[in-house]
Amino acid sequence: QVQLVQSGIEVKRPGASVKISCLGSGYVFTNYVIHWMRQARGQSLEWVGSVNCNTGATRYSYHFQGRVTMTTDTSASTAYMELSSLTFEDTAVYYCARDPSAKFDYWGQGTLVTVSS
Amino acid sequence: DVQLTQSPSFLSASVGDKVTITCRASQDINSYLAWYRQRPGKAPELLIHVASTLQSGVPSRFSGSRSGTEFTLAISGLQPEDFATYYCQQFNTYPFTFGPGTKVDI
């Protein structure tokens, strides 16, 4: 069955970077785009960006002002999101999701990133 | 950015009730709208895509519709697992955006 499994909880200092992974299984990894979203506690979801797992092409939300980098390792069926220059406002649960076309049909379980001094 | 507003923000209901949630877009998004259910502590689950297509495996008590820039999610016969927060999301224009959510509570 299709699964997206994300890496574990992260605690970072302000100014640091965090890199989260998303391992896809049960489907052909390179046939899809992976999107990343985040959700602060008690808030709605925010789209961060996407990576085409076949071509590596990326598209980022301008809200992240060049702080985000999305990559893939097709040999490991894994997508990555790295966010730099962390601030307290980056504390959130980060999700990856698969996009077959205009929908996010499978989601990872979420990765809590806490930015704390 | 395309702004999505949802109403109501909060809805109180009982098992077996029919409820409707509305999502309005700030501009034309064609039918590129999806609906998700999110239970506490869990990832969102896809219910409806392209405004009215039921995702495979989702119960038929969920339905979606569109009228211009207004979209509706209907749940007929609420089940205990439906007490959750519902989000709409648009795929028409980057950056993709989500509505603020509607919490359905007992």
Side-chain angles (χ1 to χ4, degrees):
Chain A
Q1 73 282 21
V2 174
Q3 278 192 301
L4 296 176
V5 178
Q6 298 182 224
S7 48
I9 295 170
E10 300 272 7
V11 180
K12 297 292 181 181
R13 301 290 191 199
S17 296
V18 67
K19 190 171 185 177
I20 304 167
S21 65
C22 173
L23 168 64
S25 62
Y27 70 98
V28 180
F29 182 75
T30 51
N31 282 359
Y32 295 86
V33 174
I34 291 287
H35 295 254
W36 292 87
M37 277 67 62
R38 73 179 186 181
Q39 187 173 38
R41 187 178 182 89
Q43 302 299 308
S44 181
L45 295 141
E46 181 179 20
W47 181 78
V48 180
S50 65
V51 58
N52 183 310
C53 297
N54 181 36
T55 65
T58 54
R59 190 184 290 264
Y60 304 137
S61 171
Y62 67 85
H63 294 289
F64 293 88
Q65 298 288 339
R67 295 195 297 134
V68 66
T69 304
M70 295 178 184
T71 56
T72 60
D73 179 351
T74 55
S75 67
S77 298
T78 301
Y80 300 91
M81 185 200 70
E82 184 170 20
L83 188 62
S84 62
S85 302
L86 292 170
T87 70
F88 298 122
E89 288 68 39
D90 292 317
T91 294
V93 176
Y94 288 76
Y95 293 101
C96 63
R98 189 184 82 159
D99 173 12
S101 179
K103 61 180 180 180
F104 295 165
D105 62 351
Y106 287 91
W107 293 63
Q109 83 277 18
T111 296
L112 175 62
V113 175
T114 300
V115 182
S116 173
S117 56
Chain B
D1 298 3
V2 175
Q3 305 299 317
L4 298 177
T5 58
Q6 288 183 236
S7 59
S9 300
F10 181 87
L11 191 158
S12 183
S14 301
V15 172
D17 284 354
K18 178 176 180 177
V19 300
T20 59
I21 299 168
T22 298
C23 177
R24 290 183 177 86
S26 60
Q27 61 192 68
D28 182 18
I29 57 169
N30 298 294
S31 290
Y32 291 113
L33 187 110
W35 289 97
Y36 301 89
R37 175 181 69 184
Q38 187 177 35
R39 303 179 210 180
K42 301 295 186 182
E45 305 166 85
L46 176 65
L47 301 172
I48 301 285
H49 59 102
V50 288
S52 60
T53 300
L54 190 68
Q55 172 66 7
S56 175
V58 173
S60 58
R61 65 179 180 271
F62 293 95
S63 62
S65 63
R66 172 197 174 194
S67 176
T69 58
E70 182 174 299
F71 299 82
T72 300
L73 173 71
I75 312 171
S76 58
L78 272 174
Q79 296 300 300
E81 61 268 29
D82 299 332
F83 292 95
T85 300
Y86 293 81
Y87 295 99
C88 56
Q89 181 205 3
Q90 65 85 18
F91 285 87
N92 189 72
T93 306
Y94 286 101
F96 294 160
T97 49
F98 290 83
T102 295
K103 185 174 182 180
V104 178
D105 209 347
I106 299 174

